[in-house]
């Protein structure tokens, strides 16, 4: 899912195109788009539940079946399995394994929770001092936590305090399972508010983050990311996380030991993303050097793409790029925080674009949004982008329909910075790129191409003269019948024609009456 943190700096909607007001209009309209996109980002956060089924079920249970297609277990059999909980250890263990197998089916889950005393018995086995029984009971709870049925999840409420208690136990496997079970339960608003926060899940997760075991750290990252997506996140949870000083440790886990713990880095990178999207206190995060730290991480990640397979790396690149983009979208420009890394960071962005274009287009889109946010307010980044040998790679993305609008957005950002950068852009990109944008089939891309043309004509009138000389008016006329583009097309035809008719040393001003 595309998650922009900023928007186009091009024109949008209806308005007057004149030298005196165009730049301010561009800035105001871009800010409006940024606000709308940030609101959309917060509404589009996804939650997901995970299921750990790494161990094989006992052979005599699985014979002739597939673990992904468990059949419902009858109420009579469930009752029998629960009665066996009072028998010897081997019988209890076998019954728990059979129950866990059955709980993969939602019909069995419903049957189980409706039987009187079923959860009490299961929790009793979960708190057993026999490790095998405890682990099997934990797996049963884990199956229940994965349910999409609110009644089934509600039935797990009495187990939350025990799940939290066992996070500090000696069994890495049990701790990991408890973390993922808590993470599954954390997507339920009622459980978060009523149980997990008062019972101290934030301090418990903070302790797990200090574990020497990567599996425990990764599970803690998953559980925390689930909490950070709940409806209470901005009001309570993120304030607790920031107030507890966890943010710096989260940032450390994202950036350290990537070779051994890529999974850990991925989980906590999404935690960072959700914290930043909340906008609870992004000025604090910026003051803690989050931007240069993540910038260094992207440069380091890009260096690995040339020596190892990029497959799987997109799971980390995506949230890190989003974090930087969304911090850059804050009201106070902070691109300067990254200027010392300008060449390396831009180089890293284009490494990701080239590496992921064939297989993961969404990463290309994320990288283009980052370029957009870097160039939106700061002419230094525009100059850096134009000066590098990477710029032709940006223009090549016109061939990708889903990237063309974002490419034009970045070009509009550059063109909006005034005559010097407009001239440099025109000399780098050339007229064929502009005419190519007007020939695209996507209305949104053509609209952005029209905005780019307007900015070039506004700041570098020679572009309009060359445009007319190279059949640019015919390229515009093809869109005259499009009601979405008609007004801008007609205005550009008029402006380009007027400019081409004037002597080159005559200053030009679009009249206030022009739309």
């Amino acid at each position: 899912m595309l998650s922009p943190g900023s928007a186009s700096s091009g024109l949008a909607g209806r308005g007057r195109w004149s030298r005196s007001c165009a730049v301010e209009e561009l800035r105001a309209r871009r800010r409006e788009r940024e606000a709308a996109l940030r609101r959309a980002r917060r509404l589009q956060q996804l939650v997901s539940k995970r299921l750990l089924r790494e161990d094989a079920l006992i052979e005599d249970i699985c014979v002739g079946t597939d673990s992904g297609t468990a059949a419902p277990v009858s109420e009579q059999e469930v009752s029998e399995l629960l009665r066996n909980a009072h028998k010897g250890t081997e019988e209890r263990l076998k019954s728990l394994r059979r129950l866990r197998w059955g709980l993969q089916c939602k019909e069995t889950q419903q049957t189980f929770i409706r039987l009187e005393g079923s959860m009490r018995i299961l929790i009793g086995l979960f708190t057993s001092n026999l490790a095998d029984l405890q682990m099997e009971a934990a797996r049963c709870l884990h199956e229940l936590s994965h349910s999409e049925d609110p009644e089934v999840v509600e039935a797990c409420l009495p187990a939350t305090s025990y799940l939290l208690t066992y996070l500090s136990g000696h069994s890495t496997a049990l701790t990991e399972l408890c973390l993922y079970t808590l993470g599954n339960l954390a997507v339920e608003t009622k459980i978060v508010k009523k149980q997990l926060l008062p019972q101290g899940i934030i301090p418990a997760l903070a302790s797990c983050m200090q574990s020497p075991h990567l599996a425990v750290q990764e599970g803690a990252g998953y559980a925390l990311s689930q909490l950070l997506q709940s409806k209470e996140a901005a009001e309570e949870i993120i304030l607790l996380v920031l107030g507890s000083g966890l943010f710096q440790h989260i940032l450390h886990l994202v950036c350290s030991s990537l070779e051994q713990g890529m999974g850990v880095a991925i989980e906590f990178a999404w935690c960072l993303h959700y914290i930043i999207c909340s906008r609870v206190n992004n000025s604090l995060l910026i003051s803690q050097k989050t931007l240069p730290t993540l910038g260094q991480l992207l440069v380091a990640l890009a260096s690995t793409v040339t020596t190892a397979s990029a497959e799987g790396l997109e799971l980390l690149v995506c949230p890190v790029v989003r974090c930087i983009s969304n911090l850059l979208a804050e009201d106070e420009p902070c691109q300067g925080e990254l200027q010392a890394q300008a060449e390396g960071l831009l180089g890293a962005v284009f490494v990701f674009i080239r590496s992921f274009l064939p297989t993961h287009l969404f990463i290309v889109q994320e990288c283009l949004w980052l370029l957009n946010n870097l160039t939106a307010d700061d002419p230094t980044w525009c100059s850096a982008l134009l000066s590098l040998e990477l710029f032709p790679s940006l223009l090549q993305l016109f061939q990708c329909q889903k990237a063309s609008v974002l490419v034009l957005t970045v070009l509009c950002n550059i063109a909006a910075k005034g005559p010097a950068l407009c001239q440099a852009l025109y000399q780098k990109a050339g007229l064929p790129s502009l005419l190519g944008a007007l020939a695209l089939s996507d209305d949104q891309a053509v609209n952005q191409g029209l905005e780019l043309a307007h900015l070039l004509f506004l700041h570098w009138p020679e572009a309009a003269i060359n445009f007319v000389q190279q059949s640019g008016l015919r390229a515009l006329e093809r869109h005259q019948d499009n009601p979405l583009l008609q007004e801008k097309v007609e205005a550009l035809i008029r402006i380009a024609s007027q400019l081409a008719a004037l002597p080159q040393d005559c200053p030009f001003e679009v009249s206030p009456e022009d739309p």
Side-chain angles (χ1 to χ4, degrees), residues 33 69 101 193 211 272 309 361 366 439:
R33 289 184 181 181
T69 57
W101 169 251
K193 202 171 187 71
S211 171
L272 282 184
S309 171
L361 181 58
E366 297 287 355

Side-chain angles (χ1 to χ4, degrees), residues 424-441:
L425 172 63
Y426 188 73
Q427 291 171 347
K428 279 275 189 178
L431 192 60
S433 295
L434 176 57
L435 292 174
L438 298 179
L440 295 171
S441 59

Side-chain angles (χ1 to χ4, degrees), residues 140-404:
C140 290
L141 285 170
H142 185 62
E143 292 288 346
L144 291 169
S145 75
H146 191 256
S147 174
E148 300 298 328
D149 188 330
E151 289 186 358
V152 174
V153 177
E154 184 87 10
C156 296
L157 274 173
T160 56
S161 61
Y162 300 106
L163 288 165
L164 288 168
T165 297
Y166 289 129
L167 294 185
S168 58
H170 300 293
S171 168
T172 301
L174 180 61
T175 300
E176 180 188 16
L177 193 58
C178 290
L179 283 167
Y180 282 94
T181 302
L182 287 164
N184 290 343
L185 296 176
V187 304
E188 305 294 336
T189 299
K190 183 183 294 186
I191 291 178
V192 169
K193 202 171 187 71
K194 182 179 178 182
Q195 300 279 114
L196 296 179
L197 287 181
Q199 290 173 349
I201 189 171
I202 299 298
L205 292 180
S207 177
C208 289
M209 289 164 61
Q210 305 286 342
S211 171
H213 303 289
L214 293 177
V216 173
Q217 291 181 355
E218 187 172 343
Y222 167 70
L224 182 59
S225 71
Q226 296 288 83
L227 278 175
L228 292 171
Q229 294 177 81
S230 71
K231 294 179 180 179
E232 288 75 30
E235 299 172 2
E236 300 179 55
I237 298 167
I238 291 175
L239 288 173
L240 287 172
V241 170
L242 296 179
S244 64
L246 275 180
F247 179 80
Q248 279 297 323
H249 192 54
I250 292 172
L251 189 59
H252 172 74
L253 288 172
V254 173
C255 299
S256 62
S257 304
L258 290 178
E259 291 184 3
Q260 295 181 349
M262 181 68 76
V264 175
I266 290 169
E267 294 300 342
F268 284 103
W270 284 105
C271 290
L272 282 184
H273 170 62
Y274 298 131
I275 291 171
I276 290 168
C277 279
S278 73
R279 304 191 71 220
V280 167
N281 194 350
N282 280 353
S283 59
L284 171 66
L285 309 187
I286 292 170
S287 72
Q288 295 182 349
K289 303 300 181 183
T290 303
L291 278 170
T293 301
L294 293 179
Q296 290 171 5
L297 174 60
L298 281 187
V299 173
L301 290 175
S303 69
T304 69
V305 174
T306 58
T307 57
S309 171
E311 188 60 36
L313 194 63
E314 76 281 357
L315 299 175
L316 179 57
V317 170
C318 180
V320 173
V321 169
R322 288 185 183 183
C323 286
I324 297 176
S325 293
N326 286 330
L327 285 176
L328 291 171
E330 287 301 305
D331 295 333
E332 292 297 323
C334 52
Q335 288 89 338
E337 294 277 332
L338 292 165
Q339 280 182 2
Q341 304 169 328
E343 184 173 347
L345 182 56
L346 289 173
V349 167
F350 280 95
V351 166
F352 298 137
I353 287 174
R354 288 193 296 267
S355 301
F356 294 118
L357 181 60
T359 55
H360 300 295
L361 181 58
F362 73 95
I363 294 291
V364 176
Q365 294 170 312
E366 297 287 355
C367 288
L368 289 172
W369 273 113
L370 176 55
L371 288 179
N372 169 61
N373 288 4
L374 286 168
T375 56
D377 294 302
D378 193 336
T380 305
W381 283 94
C382 298
S383 298
L385 182 58
L386 286 172
S387 66
L388 295 176
E389 295 299 321
L390 303 167
F391 189 74
S393 298
L394 180 66
L395 298 181
Q396 290 174 4
L397 291 174
F398 272 129
Q399 302 170 13
C400 177
Q401 182 177 352
K402 292 185 178 180
S404 57

